[in-house]
Amino acid sequence: MSFTSQVFCSIQTLTGAVSTIKFFLSEAFLGQHFEAVELEVSKPEPGDLFLFRLLTPAGRWCGAHVGVYCGHGEIIHFEGKSPSSQGPHQFLGSWEGVVCKQGQRPLQRSRQLWRVLRRRGGVDHARLERRVREAMAMDPPAYHPTRYNCVHFALHLLDVDRSPGLELVDVDLTMD
């Protein structure tokens, strides 16, 4: 890999990491684009983000997994198929990306729900439905813990990745 390629990959990794951190830690960003939804009071709507806690083997919170509610009790999400190798180097490379659509209830039974967020101003349901169909039909992009992960995938489905203040890495998903 050339020096220029290494610098580009480093910048791309840093940009992706910053956008992921901004999503989880910036209440200003979340408040600008989303509002919390209480499922006890309101039913989920297509485009709602479901955030599930990620826990360490010791049971400590270490992040979240994000999926998008599609309607009809289904959530689409993106994850990486873990490499068989162990050690810190496994987090430096890309993994095989996997797009899944699962039932909301089974997903909530297998993962700990943290919060549900709804995009302010709503979503274009027809566009979301088209993007979900395309994501399910095409070969998924490579998963990378910082450059392209479940957050980037979910925000792309909702067109939030094009919003000012959230500079996501340009991954060609051709879902327009």
Side-chain angles (χ1 to χ4, degrees), residues 58-164:
R60 293 199 171 108
W61 183 81
C62 65
H65 181 67
V66 180
V68 178
Y69 186 76
C70 302
H72 311 291
E74 296 179 319
I75 296 174
I76 187 170
H77 58 112
F78 178 69
E79 55 194 1
K81 185 176 177 184
S82 296
S84 58
S85 62
Q86 299 296 320
H89 61 278
Q90 75 180 14
F91 297 106
L92 302 176
S94 296
W95 305 347
E96 179 184 348
V98 179
V99 174
C100 320
K101 196 193 284 188
Q102 291 181 267
Q104 173 192 346
R105 292 186 194 280
L107 197 55
Q108 283 184 249
R109 279 194 301 272
S110 67
R111 299 177 186 240
Q112 185 182 13
L113 184 63
W114 173 31
R115 62 200 298 193
V116 177
L117 302 174
R118 182 165 295 150
R119 184 161 184 204
R120 292 187 184 279
V123 298
D124 179 335
H125 291 198
R127 183 177 177 96
L128 173 63
E129 187 176 319
R130 185 176 69 249
R131 284 187 160 201
V132 166
R133 276 195 317 270
E134 290 169 353
M136 293 301 297
M138 65 187 277
D139 288 333
Y143 176 93
H144 190 277
T146 59
R147 282 192 296 236
Y148 195 77
N149 57 41
C150 61
V151 172
H152 302 107
F153 176 78
L155 295 180
H156 179 77
L157 287 176
L158 300 180
D159 274 338
V160 178
D161 59 340
R162 296 184 181 152
S163 299

Side-chain angles (χ1 to χ4, degrees), residues 1-11:
M1 182 182 288
S2 72
F3 177 74
T4 305
S5 296
Q6 288 176 336
V7 169
F8 176 74
C9 284
S10 296
I11 291 170

